[in-house]
Amino acid sequence: MKKVTKAIIPAAGLGTRFLPITKAVPKPMLSVIDKPTIQFICEELASSGIADIVIVVSPGSEVIKNHFSPAPELENRLLSDKKSKLYDVAMETLKYNVNFVVQETANGLAGAILCAEPYINGEPFALLLGDELIYAGEGDKPCIKRLIEIYESTGKSVIATMEVFGDDVSKYGNIGIKDETEDGVMTIERIVEKPSINEALSNNAIIGRYVMDGKVMDMLKTLTVRNNEIYFTDALDTLAANGEILASNFDGIRYDVGDKFGYVKANLEYALRSEELKDQTKELIKELYEKI
Ligand code: G1P
């Protein structure tokens, strides 16, 4: 059975929901406390056994490249000041094998994936959207690891899914489920992108974690361009019609850090988990609770 060894992180969005910070700072560099979201995603990959990563960036995203490159002046200073813990923190991002590819035209998720094709070379790949974090707690399997295991045992592409309700249904790709096994793996009938509530097939939303068979690249090249975008979901729907894609639940907590409130929530909850910040954060929350 084919092994998954590579990952694509599409991170070329303009980040308009986060203006003005995204005028000069690429969205993947927005941090949850002190770490850029793109680094959290690399950590999810590393803990799932994948270090070979392609990040699809927009033109002028040198800051992201710098984050994954040596910083000799800083490193030497930390060493001479004997700040070995901070030195380790600064060196952390050098352990990933990261390649960068520039998406010149903003032509959708499928366009971004196609930019990474030369690195994928027909092999299966993990796909992790740059503005979603999935926190795996004690004993939780990282989301992308679960999908990799499903792909490697079935040979079928697989998408992570969660239940959403009300207006949220129209914010996501939507999956019509055929049936579900006891361990949370589902066969799929159809997939539609961001349907109205009336058109929704179910309450199962696509979240930004996928493992795809390499042949999807050829499918993407045949898709019709609509509104200047190539819709990845069109390829997913064709795979669904052919019985070649599964959906799966996952452990952990998903944060939409591309959404302002999701971003606030992530910062607060990560602060509550941090040894350094949790006591002060709890105090702050109690104080605020008295006031509101
Ligand atoms: C993309 C996908 C959508 C998926 C969503 C998850 O949409 O097209 O199917 O549900 O990510 O966040 P976007 O949020 O980029 O518009």
Side-chain angles (χ1 to χ4, degrees), residues 185-249:
V185 179
M186 299 152 230
T187 51
I188 300 178
E189 215 149 43
R190 279 213 57 201
I191 301 180
V192 288
E193 181 68 1
K194 304 192 179 91
S196 66
I197 296 199
N198 294 337
E199 289 161 342
L201 308 167
S202 74
N203 290 102
N204 288 90
I206 298 178
I207 65 146
R209 296 291 184 274
Y210 315 70
V211 168
M212 301 304 302
D213 190 80
K215 73 178 176 196
V216 76
M217 290 290 185
D218 285 336
M219 292 175 69
L220 295 182
K221 289 179 208 158
T222 65
L223 294 179
T224 315
V225 181
R226 293 182 276 127
N227 315 320
N228 295 322
E229 280 202 24
I230 316 173
Y231 285 87
F232 184 51
T233 309
D234 290 352
L236 299 180
D237 193 33
T238 305
L239 289 171
N242 298 337
E244 290 176 301
I245 189 160
L246 302 168
S248 169
N249 63 9

Side-chain angles (χ1 to χ4, degrees), residues 244-265:
E244 290 176 301
I245 189 160
L246 302 168
S248 169
N249 63 9
F250 60 95
D251 292 333
I253 304 169
R254 170 186 178 268
Y255 297 95
D256 180 0
V257 284
D259 168 79
K260 282 183 198 167
F261 186 68
Y263 183 75
V264 171
K265 188 169 181 268

Side-chain angles (χ1 to χ4, degrees), residues 105-126:
T105 333
N107 58 349
L109 179 54
I113 297 167
L114 276 174
C115 290
E117 189 190 12
Y119 293 95
I120 297 302
N121 210 9
E123 290 175 46
F125 60 93

Side-chain angles (χ1 to χ4, degrees), residues 41 44 129-134 172 206-209 254-258:
I41 294 179
E44 182 182 339
L129 302 194
D131 48 15
E132 286 175 57
L133 299 187
I134 300 182
Y172 298 93
I206 298 178
I207 65 146
R209 296 291 184 274
R254 170 186 178 268
Y255 297 95
D256 180 0
V257 284

